[in-house]
Amino acid sequence: QQPVQSPQAVILREGEDAVINCSSSKALYSVHWYRQKHGEAPVFLMILLKGGEQKGHDKISASFNEKKQQSSLYLTASQLSYSGTYFCGTDYHYGGSQGNLIFGKGTKLSVKP
Amino acid sequence: DAGVIQSPRHEVTEMGQEVTLRCKPISGHNSLFWYRQTMMRGLELLIYFNNNVPIDDSGMPEDRFSAKMPNASFSTLKIQPSEPRDSAVYFCASRLGRPDNEQFFGPGTRLTVL
């Protein structure tokens, strides 16, 4: 089942903060975050694992609430380069990974000068 | 290091024709994924290989779609016959090792079926 992302779109001024949410109706093993700029391929940002481990980008932070089956991506002091569409990808197999990801529909972030 | 390589980058074809998309994963990566991206449906997983073996093809839309991975350095996604609703960007991604490692995406193939 596809995770639900919110908001669908957000417009920021440089230096402002944003939070992007990703919710699942099923228990999660991990949540992966990717960013895609227009006309380009998705690029990895971070992975959050059941149990609290995180791997990824040092300027972007995220949280993973296993009980609520949701993750949030925190973009602080946004820069123009943060513009793009953010996707969460969820790995569903509770207790172990299935190895594949189901992506949400994305959140389009626009950062203006 | 070369990333994931996909060809062609753009393909325009007529309805009913066969289309073959190609992917070369990053050397040493043992998992390969094919995705389709459209405005309406977003980024959908079509099929996933691990060590050249198809593990999950539940996302393949119908029998017109088939994928192969004859060796660790090459995969194809074939659509026969193609239809206008197959128009999309098709991405290939590869991953090394554990499921909690990142996937590296290729540049994609933009397919237009007229």
Side-chain angles (χ1 to χ4, degrees):
Chain A
Q1 256 139 331
Q2 191 174 43
V4 177
Q5 288 187 234
S6 62
Q8 289 185 322
V10 59
I11 300 174
L12 298 175
R13 292 282 179 196
E14 246 184 314
E16 292 181 337
D17 302 338
V19 180
I20 300 172
N21 300 302
C22 175
S23 295
S24 168
S25 58
K26 293 170 61 174
L28 297 172
Y29 177 77
S30 65
V31 179
H32 303 224
W33 287 95
Y34 285 77
R35 177 172 62 209
Q36 183 178 31
K37 293 187 180 285
H38 183 69
E40 298 180 7
V43 174
F44 168 76
L45 293 176
M46 13 192 358
I47 292 173
L48 300 106
L49 300 168
K50 188 168 80 74
E53 186 181 351
Q54 294 187 14
K55 295 194 276 188
H57 205 287
D58 58 3
K59 293 191 177 177
I60 292 175
S61 63
S63 63
F64 179 21
N65 187 321
E66 295 170 41
K67 279 190 178 178
K68 291 186 178 179
Q69 296 165 184
Q70 65 187 34
S71 175
S72 296
L73 189 70
Y74 305 97
L75 302 164
T76 55
S78 58
Q79 305 170 17
L80 295 176
S81 61
Y82 286 10
S83 293
T85 300
Y86 289 76
F87 293 96
C88 68
T90 48
D91 185 351
Y92 280 114
H93 198 259
Y94 188 77
S97 173
Q98 287 276 45
N100 55 354
L101 298 177
I102 308 299
F103 283 94
K105 290 197 170 179
T107 296
K108 186 173 182 179
L109 177 74
S110 301
V111 181
K112 308 290 185 187
Chain B
D1 272 345
V4 175
I5 298 171
Q6 290 187 247
S7 64
R9 294 291 310 277
H10 300 273
E11 176 84 28
V12 180
T13 191
E14 293 193 344
M15 184 173 65
Q17 296 298 305
E18 177 178 298
V19 175
T20 299
L21 311 181
R22 297 171 177 78
C23 175
K24 178 177 168 53
I26 293 172
S27 177
H29 283 196
N30 59 325
S31 296
L32 184 138
F33 307 82
W34 281 101
Y35 294 93
R36 176 173 68 177
Q37 187 174 39
T38 61
M39 288 293 293
M40 289 298 294
R41 300 173 69 93
L43 194 60
E44 302 174 275
L45 177 67
L46 299 177
I47 187 167
Y48 153 46
F49 293 87
N50 194 41
N51 295 322
N52 313 339
V53 176
I55 302 299
D56 183 358
D57 65 354
S58 58
M60 296 285 263
E62 48 199 272
D63 291 347
R64 298 184 298 105
F65 284 69
S66 63
K68 293 183 180 179
M69 192 164 186
N71 57 60
S73 58
F74 184 65
S75 177
T76 58
L77 178 69
K78 187 176 290 187
I79 308 172
Q80 165 64 18
S82 58
E83 296 182 4
R85 61 192 167 119
D86 302 330
S87 297
V89 180
Y90 291 81
F91 288 103
C92 173
S94 70
R95 184 186 69 207
L96 172 65
R98 296 160 47 124
D100 55 355
N101 287 338
E102 65 180 285
Q103 294 183 23
F104 292 82
F105 282 76
T109 295
R110 181 173 293 277
L111 174 66
T112 303
V113 183
L114 303 173

